[in-house]
Amino acid sequence: MDRAILQALLLTDGSVIPTRYQISFASTSGALIKQFCDLVFNIYGYQIKKIGKGKGTKQPLHLVQLKSKTICPDLLSDIPSYRTVPFRDGTYPETGIPETWVNLSTNEIAIILRALFDTEGGCSLRISWRSKKKCLEIEREVFLSCQHTELRKQYKQLINKLGIKCGES
């Protein structure tokens, strides 16, 4: 399960560059950085000693980078690319969730979704006036942000496996 959580974190806020054997993860959350470092150590026995700092929009950004000729190929063995943003020409890289995720138990899928939502998710609550009904209405929304069209479909499939209906916007 640890490897799947690590993959989920990398799909959202990380990168794996095979030509440089480089793995990177960035977050404004110190807790997520710690979780990432702990996962790398638990899975691969690799101790991350240095965490860089960058400029975030409102909060300081923490950056972890490591190079490994063994970890990098392993992470790419069932996810072809961790790049989820489009290329300059507007096309998206070939990527997707590992096929094994779809066959996991609902508890395991929930754990993976938590990692995805921890990095790229959120929730909102709005109260709005409905003039036709002449009442206040509470609108609740939970969202998972993802530009990559294929990944969005696959995330939706995981969410649906938990019995939650969701749409795309």
Side-chain angles (χ1 to χ4, degrees), residues 121-140:
C123 61
S124 65
L125 178 68
R126 291 184 298 273
I127 299 174
S128 39
W129 177 254
R130 298 293 179 205
S131 54
K132 286 184 180 180
K133 295 180 181 180
K134 297 188 183 200
C135 68
L136 291 174
E137 189 172 273
I138 297 173
E139 297 175 21
R140 300 171 301 269

Side-chain angles (χ1 to χ4, degrees), residues 68-165:
S68 170
K69 289 184 177 184
T70 55
I71 298 173
C72 192
D74 181 62
L75 288 169
L76 291 166
S77 65
D78 53 356
I79 296 179
S81 172
Y82 287 85
R83 180 184 172 121
T84 59
V85 294
F87 297 114
R88 287 188 182 139
D89 65 1
T91 61
Y92 285 90
E94 249 186 73
T95 192
I97 63 172
E99 291 177 21
T100 55
W101 287 12
V102 179
N103 299 319
L104 295 173
S105 71
T106 54
N107 287 340
E108 291 169 321
I109 289 173
I111 290 168
I112 292 170
L113 285 171
R114 178 177 180 187
L116 294 168
F117 274 90
D118 278 349
T119 52
E120 294 294 330
C123 61
S124 65
L125 178 68
R126 291 184 298 273
I127 299 174
S128 39
W129 177 254
R130 298 293 179 205
S131 54
K132 286 184 180 180
K133 295 180 181 180
K134 297 188 183 200
C135 68
L136 291 174
E137 189 172 273
I138 297 173
E139 297 175 21
R140 300 171 301 269
E141 177 183 60
V142 177
F143 60 89
L144 180 60
S145 187
C146 177
Q147 290 183 359
H148 196 287
T149 51
E150 188 59 33
L151 269 177
R152 231 183 5 249
K153 289 176 191 170
Q154 292 174 347
Y155 292 161
K156 184 177 177 178
Q157 183 182 10
L158 289 177
I159 293 167
N160 289 339
K161 284 201 78 155
L162 296 182
I164 301 169
K165 294 180 183 176

